[in-house]
Amino acid sequence: MTAQVLDGKAIAAVVRGEVKERAEAFAAKYGRRAGLHVVLVGDDPASQVYVRNKEMAAGKAGLAGQVHRLPADTSQAELEALVEKLNADPAIDGILVQLPLPAGLDAQPVLDRLAPEKDVDGLTPMSAGLLLDGRPGLRPCTPSGCMRLLREAGLDDLSGKRAIVIGRSLLVGKPIALMLLAKNATVTMAHSRTANLAEECARADIVVAAVGRAELVKREWIREGAVVIDVGINRGDDGKLVGDVAYAECAERASWITPVPGGVGPMTIAMLLDNTVAAAERREAAKA
Ligand code: NAP
């Protein structure tokens, strides 16, 4: 079997188009644009690129907003005070604190302060709890993007299917496992201490790799016809991006597979925009 490509670039463009329409309708109805504010502390080059991409995508989608760039020596108290200020600003619908924070700053108390209704990254304890409980809320962007890819390809009826998620971070592994469970998959969560990972993986109809180890998942790990979602982003020695899945060999076994780049990556920003417009709509609806 040769896998069909789950084209994140194309599907992200569809999501961004939908967001733009909703953002324009929101602006027409409420006389203001949905607002996304991003907090970037320090000068980590990768974070700067990510934030610039988010800023550009938000502008193109018709969202208002601002990036708050703070020096690396910002204190914990100053950062938390900024989050409180953004929480209190009625024109702001979404707040994203770019992670990781520089050494010496603790992300958890910052996320604890962030207003859940503005948590467009879906990382506050309230957002995590709502997901666990199966209640509506703002979901983390990367896992939401993976689920949207499955939906667009008509692959999201997971009743009777076995899924494995490799990686158990709060950002990706845990939330995507809950989302797959909510779609009635039978979910295995694997991690660095899992025994016989290759065998566990080879039983799965859906494989989600969110590890951060270049080409960890090999051909023999993939059951014939499985769907493979590769969240990993790793930079090879030659500077090229590679995923957590050995793409070419796994594509020979899978029915569907996401490429890296061009798979999950573009979906993450698209879902951030989607969360922002959803947060704005919900906040206005709650006032009515
Ligand atoms: P993370 O917090 O470092 O978590 C990695 C997970 O992988 C951990 O649960 C770890 O297990 C597990 N792991 C590590 N080595 C393993 C191994 N040899 N076998 C099995 N499991 C192993 O990373 P993350 O934030 O979830 O990100 C994972 C990857 O996705 C990274 O490459 C990151 O760059 C990428 N990512 C991409 C996007 C996107 O937009 N496409 C967004 C976010 C992240 P333990 O818990 O036991 O340590």
Side-chain angles (χ1 to χ4, degrees):
M1 177 172 281
T2 301
Q4 298 190 65
V5 175
L6 268 171
D7 185 347
K9 244 173 138 175
I11 296 171
V14 170
V15 175
R16 288 200 310 270
E18 287 170 8
V19 169
K20 191 166 168 52
E21 270 182 30
R22 280 166 69 192
E24 294 305 334
F26 180 91
K29 186 166 178 187
Y30 297 107
R32 68 176 186 89
R33 293 209 165 265
L36 170 65
H37 282 231
V38 177
V39 180
L40 173 61
V41 191
D43 39 26
D44 175 61
S47 292
Q48 287 183 351
V49 173
Y50 293 145
V51 167
R52 212 173 306 129
N53 290 343
K54 287 169 187 173
E55 194 179 12
M56 274 169 27
K60 280 190 195 158
L63 305 179
Q66 191 183 328
V67 177
H68 302 262
R69 291 186 168 79
L70 305 180
D73 62 359
T74 299
S75 70
Q76 185 80 29
E78 284 168 328
L79 177 57
E80 290 177 22
L82 173 61
V83 167
E84 294 284 13
K85 193 174 136 213
L86 303 179
N87 282 344
D89 186 334
I92 297 175
D93 301 289
I95 305 168
L96 181 153
V97 179
Q98 184 67 38
L99 301 177
L101 293 172
L105 289 174
D106 187 356
Q108 205 53 65
V110 178
L111 293 175
D112 286 350
R113 277 180 194 272
L114 208 156
E117 69 275 16
K118 298 188 178 186
D119 174 24
V120 287
D121 231 1
L123 295 179
T124 61
M126 175 64 90
S127 299
L130 291 172
L131 171 60
L132 185 68
D133 205 15
R135 287 156 63 189
L138 293 164
R139 307 297 195 226
C141 303
T142 301
S144 292
C146 296
M147 296 308 291
R148 183 68 193 256
L149 286 175
L150 291 176
R151 195 175 106 194
E152 291 291 329
L155 299 168
D156 63 339
D157 178 4
L158 302 179
S159 303
K161 305 276 189 211
R162 284 202 179 102
I164 187 165
V165 179
I166 317 174
R168 55 176 166 180
S169 70
L170 197 61
L171 186 65
V172 190
K174 282 178 186 159
I176 187 123
L178 289 168
M179 291 177 188
L180 293 165
L181 184 65
K183 286 282 175 190
N184 299 319
T186 301
V187 183
T188 299
M189 294 188 70
H191 44 77
S192 66
R193 317 288 170 86
T194 298
N196 306 322
L197 182 55
E199 284 165 38
E200 293 286 349
C201 209
R203 275 195 285 273
D205 303 298
I206 316 265
V207 176
V208 180
V211 183
R213 300 272 181 280
E215 303 190 325
L216 173 80
V217 177
K218 308 282 189 255
R219 185 180 200 279
E220 316 78 67
W221 298 28
I222 301 301
R223 179 183 172 159
E224 191 73 35
V227 174
V228 179
I229 307 276
D230 188 354
V231 182
I233 302 178
N234 311 284
R235 201 165 284 282
D237 294 337
D238 55 2
K240 284 198 184 141
L241 292 185
V242 283
D244 290 343
V245 174
Y247 182 84
E249 59 186 63
C250 291
E252 289 173 8
R253 298 283 278 265
S255 58
W256 290 87
I257 191 166
T258 60
V260 176
V264 175
M267 295 302 293
T268 297
I269 291 187
M271 299 318 289
L272 170 69
L273 307 176
D274 189 74
N275 270 351
T276 304
V277 80
E281 289 165 351
R282 252 181 241 155
R283 289 182 64 244
E284 289 295 343
K287 286 183 202 164

